[in-house]
Amino acid sequence: MGERKDLSTRCLQRAIERGVLPPDADISMILDSWAGLMLFRCLFFSQILDESDVELLVDATLAAPLRFPA
């Protein structure tokens, strides 16, 4: 696993441990969706996410985290 992905995974695991994210949050899917958004904006709109975009992305993740199917 790459260093950035490993760091992000640990961060999300800590969020689960603190109860900020539910225990069934799909960390891999969350990280893939974040990367997908960044790639999509970069490739199709020549934009990069700024700090406010990242804050909105994190807020959206906390509000409705991707979870493992029941």
Side-chain angles (χ1 to χ4, degrees):
M1 187 178 316
E3 185 177 331
R4 286 183 183 186
K5 187 170 184 178
D6 187 45
L7 179 63
S8 298
T9 298
R10 288 195 315 262
C11 182
L12 290 172
Q13 287 171 333
R14 285 194 309 270
I16 291 171
E17 291 165 6
R18 288 191 314 266
V20 177
L21 287 173
D24 62 344
D26 188 335
I27 292 174
S28 183
M29 185 69 75
I30 291 170
L31 294 177
D32 288 348
S33 68
W34 289 359
L37 175 65
M38 289 183 268
L39 183 61
F40 181 82
R41 288 223 182 141
C42 183
L43 288 176
F44 294 103
F45 300 105
S46 299
Q47 298 174 343
I48 57 170
L49 273 65
D50 61 20
E51 188 173 330
S52 65
D53 292 325
V54 173
E55 287 177 8
L56 288 172
L57 184 56
V58 170
D59 288 345
T61 300
L62 294 176
L66 296 167
R67 301 167 110 162
F68 289 110

